[in-house]
Amino acid sequence: MPESDPIVGIDLGTTNSLVAYADPARGLSPCILPDAEGRPLLPSVVRYSAEGRTESIGHDAREHAADFPQRTIASIKRLMGRSRRDAAADLPYLSYEVIEGPNATARVRLPGGHVLSPQEVSAAILSALRERASRALGCKVRRAVITVPAYFDDAQRQATRDAARIAGLEAVRIVNEPTAAALAYGIGLTTKKPETVAVFDLGGGTFDLSILSVIPAEGADADFFQVLSTAGDTHLGGDDIDQMLVQHLLPTEQAHAPSMTASELQNLRAQAERAKIILSDHDSTEIAFIQGGAERRRTITREQLESFLSSWIDRAIDCCRRALRDAKLAPTDISKVIMVGGSTRIPLVRRRVGEFFGTMPYTALDPDQVVALGAAVQASIMAGLRGDALLLDVIPLSLGIETVGGAVAKIIVRNTTVPARATEMFSTSVDGQTSIKLHVLQGEREMASDCRSLGVFHLRGIPPMPAGIPQLQVEFLIDASGVLTVSAIERRSGKRADLQVVPNHGLTAEEVDRMERDSLTHAREDMTRHRIVDLIANSRLDVKWIRDRLDKLGDAIPPDYAAQLRSRLDALAALIAAAERDWTTVDPNAFHAAKESLDRESVRLHEISIAESLRRGPAGSSPPG
Ligand code: ADP
Ligand code: MG
């Protein structure tokens, strides 16, 4: 038993949550800390009174969910760190009311009118786990490593941290679930030669595939454990099967029967899940449910179930392909495949995954528990109880900032390992300007309007200086948990710029998926647009500078040359104007050629300009840099 202040590992799941502990220094291998009745899983379900008092958490809340559908809160993880609009696709699956709270966030409204944030509901689950850990370990538990799906974005990770804080826990590290799973198998702890591992995590609500590269320590005291790529879908899981089964059972029934009450429907869903689980071990089973007060029975076979599942598994396999593509690997490059999540108990899933990777997947550890066990291993590393592993994860989408004309400059590209740090220099464009607005974006597209806005940072307190003189060094830091912070310093004055953050909501996985798909479909169009936007910005500067010179130098320029220059100027100015009206009407190659020819033509102007300024003395100005 730990002496004091242990760090536990928590799998805060959509469907089920668990807490585990490991103390290798005392020979205690990772184990799940069960409840007083010895049950390892805590269903992620909380029932509230209409006034918002916590009535029941876990098994009891789940068992009686059908009786209190509007105040029994399940699958709260789907709302964490998201706006109500982001979560719209999930709402039909939820039995309770979801409203829009401050800053468009999703909130739960109980029948009595009491409103809860998803963080508070998750905190209730975390508190229950903390209490169970305290009881099992015989001491106060204040710190935890908490796992999240690899697809969780910044807002969702922050929300998870906040939930922990509400529950009286410090989240010392947020770890991706598949990464934890690999650790549970000791991969990265005892590896002798470099290898590449895939973690296939199919739970109740989400699917993740991660490809990990494990490089054993040579002389160093830490193995190198790197996530090469991740792909996933937060709308792929066992819940979908339950829903498919319900859909399968309903249409024929509904033709003659009264429509079902909310509680009957929830009961049917529970029966569908039970049948699905039985079919993982049996060839057929019977589903009994109540419809309009009358009992109904239907038999369902494994073969029938598998016929629904085929396209559902295809989606998971597609994600596997995508992750492999991102990591530039073939299925045969993967030496081990780890199965995680209750839905990987389905024989068809195991078969298909085995076929795809051409290797028998690892199923020795309980797929429900493997993430929590791995979180406990990570916790023991954090606690300094073992010094033999170091974990690195990746960011799922590129981070960038909006530049002139609405293009995006990527600052940290997708699949970069965290922690990651990038710095960019900025300056002002107007004399005496004391603030700069930075628009931070996430996504793969070239234009800001096609990416997800993460927030606007106002750098204030820049000492007034001529345009272009301040040197603002902006640092983007993604910590080991994948959380972004931005800081800035003005290098000439040494002054730290104040950062005022106007955060937006997190990304949905659908958006991540869509953005990724779009980036492939629109790649060419985007490139063209980005090029034209850059051409407009650069040409404008050229045109302005040359016009200024022509006006200023006047007679010093031979008339023939001035005329020639003006005609090139007009041609480029016309292209700029056309591109600004509608970029699709302009051929970027022609645009580029026009700019080049003006640039070439103006070399002489530069020479004249320099000669003139030497002749006239030091007051002459130089071209923009
Ligand atoms: P999450 O990570 O989303 O909390 P879990 O890993 O706990 O989810 O998996 C829960 C899902 O696994 C549920 O949809 C449950 O019905 C399903 N499940 C559990 N056991 C089995 C089984 N033997 N066969 C098929 N599905 C199962
Ligand atoms: Mg899980």
Side-chain angles (χ1 to χ4, degrees):
M1 291 296 108
E3 274 152 15
S4 66
D5 215 13
I7 307 178
V8 296
I10 290 180
D11 172 6
L12 183 61
T14 310
T15 319
N16 296 302
S17 297
L18 304 92
V19 56
Y21 182 71
D23 189 349
R26 291 163 193 250
L28 182 63
S29 56
C31 58
I32 300 291
L33 304 176
D35 68 4
E37 280 99 287
R39 296 174 296 195
L41 296 184
L42 176 72
S44 307
V45 182
V46 186
R47 184 173 74 242
Y48 290 90
S49 72
E51 301 76 37
R53 201 169 26 80
T54 313
E55 267 186 7
S56 162
I57 303 176
H59 294 279
D60 172 75
R62 170 170 293 168
E63 272 149 37
H64 295 102
D67 304 324
F68 311 102
Q70 285 148 7
R71 52 190 178 90
T72 301
I73 316 303
S75 297
I76 195 65
K77 194 171 174 178
R78 289 189 177 276
L79 302 183
M80 289 284 277
R82 298 173 81 190
S83 71
R84 188 179 186 279
R85 225 186 47 181
D86 285 343
D90 292 302
L91 302 185
Y93 298 88
L94 305 177
S95 62
Y96 45 90
E97 189 185 5
V98 178
I99 59 161
E100 191 170 288
N103 203 9
T105 50
R107 301 286 160 117
V108 174
R109 181 157 65 192
L110 300 172
H114 189 85
V115 174
L116 293 160
S117 69
Q119 288 87 329
E120 291 171 90
V121 181
S122 288
I125 298 162
L126 288 170
S127 293
L129 293 172
R130 181 173 52 77
E131 278 162 29
R132 117 179 355 194
S134 287
R135 196 187 44 75
L137 297 175
C139 65
K140 246 185 140 69
V141 173
R142 285 182 290 249
R143 297 184 294 168
V145 167
I146 303 178
T147 60
V148 297
Y151 255 59
F152 260 28
D153 64 45
D154 195 60
Q156 291 167 298
R157 284 167 201 260
Q158 293 278 17
T160 304
R161 276 226 162 116
D162 293 342
R165 206 164 49 229
I166 297 168
L169 280 171
E170 181 199 348
V172 292
R173 177 69 68 90
I174 305 282
V175 176
N176 286 342
E177 288 157 11
T179 306
L183 266 187
Y185 274 100
I187 295 171
L189 303 176
T190 56
T191 314
K192 294 285 175 288
K193 59 177 179 17
E195 60 179 328
T196 311
V197 177
V199 181
F200 185 99
D201 181 348
L202 191 53
T206 59
F207 170 66
D208 286 296
L209 186 99
S210 294
I211 299 177
L212 316 175
S213 163
V214 188
I215 298 151
E218 268 175 42
D221 55 348
D223 273 4
F224 192 62
F225 203 125
Q226 188 181 19
V227 182
L228 295 181
S229 69
T230 67
D233 188 331
T234 53
H235 271 272
L236 197 62
D239 294 349
D240 301 329
I241 310 177
D242 307 345
Q243 193 63 21
M244 280 189 271
L245 273 174
V246 168
Q247 292 297 321
H248 169 73
L249 292 166
L250 275 185
T252 48
E253 298 293 337
Q254 255 173 354
H256 310 287
S259 61
M260 299 176 84
T261 64
S263 100
E264 284 177 348
L265 201 60
Q266 210 177 46
N267 179 266
L268 170 58
R269 212 171 283 151
Q271 294 307 317
E273 184 188 7
R274 202 185 56 89
K276 169 190 76 176
I277 290 173
I278 292 174
L279 289 175
S280 285
D281 295 314
H282 298 83
D283 290 334
S284 83
T285 187
E286 195 172 80
I287 297 188
F289 60 100
I290 313 285
Q291 184 172 30
E295 200 193 55
R296 312 207 161 253
R297 285 176 181 278
R298 290 281 296 277
T299 296
I300 180 135
T301 65
R302 185 192 280 184
E303 208 176 328
Q304 271 175 316
L305 181 71
E306 290 189 348
S307 73
F308 308 143
L309 296 189
S310 120
S311 70
W312 175 83
I313 299 175
D314 286 346
R315 283 167 60 201
I317 300 289
D318 280 345
C319 289
C320 297
R321 281 200 191 93
R322 216 165 65 211
L324 283 170
R325 204 177 54 219
D326 281 350
K328 301 191 173 58
L329 295 173
T332 47
D333 294 325
I334 304 296
S335 58
K336 296 187 173 97
V337 179
I338 301 172
M339 294 297 240
V340 180
S343 301
T344 61
R345 290 219 182 82
I346 298 171
L348 183 65
V349 172
R350 293 186 173 182
R351 220 156 57 224
R352 290 283 308 273
V353 172
E355 281 162 16
F356 178 77
F357 287 102
T359 180
M360 282 274 285
Y362 277 31
T363 53
L365 290 177
D366 188 326
D368 292 335
Q369 301 185 359
V370 61
V371 168
L373 295 173
V377 173
Q378 173 70 44
S380 67
I381 295 168
M382 303 288 300
L385 300 174
R386 61 189 307 160
D388 53 358
L390 177 70
L391 280 189
L392 294 174
D393 282 339
V394 296
I395 60 163
L397 286 168
S398 304
L399 284 172
I401 46 160
E402 183 172 345
T403 60
V404 195
V408 178
K410 303 253 164 73
I411 286 176
I412 301 180
V413 297
R414 157 167 199 254
N415 281 342
T416 301
T417 53
V418 295
R421 184 193 299 268
T423 54
E424 281 281 316
M425 295 300 296
F426 293 92
S427 194
T428 51
S429 54
V430 175
D431 286 344
Q433 188 179 339
T434 56
S435 77
I436 290 186
K437 193 175 98 177
L438 288 184
H439 188 190
V440 182
L441 299 143
Q442 194 167 33
E444 304 315 308
R445 297 284 300 274
E446 295 284 336
M447 300 306 293
S449 54
D450 298 318
C451 288
R452 174 69 180 216
S453 169
L454 281 186
V456 175
F457 298 84
H458 291 284
L459 309 185
R460 297 191 199 284
I462 302 169
M465 287 183 233
I469 297 299
Q471 292 185 347
L472 281 152
Q473 182 177 331
V474 179
E475 181 180 80
F476 296 79
L477 180 71
I478 300 182
D479 71 11
S481 300
V483 174
L484 171 73
T485 51
V486 180
S487 63
I489 188 162
E490 201 290 300
R491 295 228 302 204
R492 286 180 195 277
S493 62
K495 194 170 162 55
R496 286 206 88 79
D498 296 330
L499 281 189
Q500 198 186 344
V501 185
V502 186
N504 294 317
H505 309 291
L507 272 177
T508 65
E510 293 89 312
E511 279 180 294
V512 174
D513 284 346
R514 181 180 52 71
M515 287 175 165
E516 202 192 320
R517 272 199 311 274
D518 285 356
S519 76
L520 295 175
T521 328
H522 297 290
R524 175 163 306 208
E525 185 189 298
D526 276 1
M527 290 299 292
T528 308
R529 189 163 173 200
H530 196 158
R531 217 177 133 202
I532 287 183
V533 163
D534 287 346
L535 277 168
I536 293 175
N538 295 329
S539 304
R540 265 225 200 106
L541 290 174
D542 288 353
V543 167
K544 183 174 181 307
W545 186 81
I546 293 168
R547 284 218 169 106
D548 283 357
R549 287 309 95 174
L550 282 173
D551 292 348
K552 226 176 222 167
L553 296 170
D555 294 345
I557 305 170
D560 294 5
Y561 176 54
Q564 210 169 341
L565 211 46
R566 282 203 192 275
S567 92
R568 297 261 150 87
L569 262 184
D570 292 344
L572 188 61
L575 280 168
I576 296 173
E580 281 176 334
R581 269 196 310 276
D582 179 1
W583 68 274
T584 59
T585 61
V586 175
D587 173 5
N589 293 328
F591 197 164
H592 183 75
K595 182 179 177 300
E596 290 278 282
S597 98
L598 180 66
D599 285 347
R600 267 196 311 276
E601 197 67 47
S602 63
V603 171
R604 202 172 147 202
L605 183 67
H606 283 262
E607 287 162 7
I608 297 171
S609 171
I610 291 166
E612 276 298 296
S613 70
L614 287 175
R615 203 170 57 76
R616 286 181 193 173
S621 57
S622 57

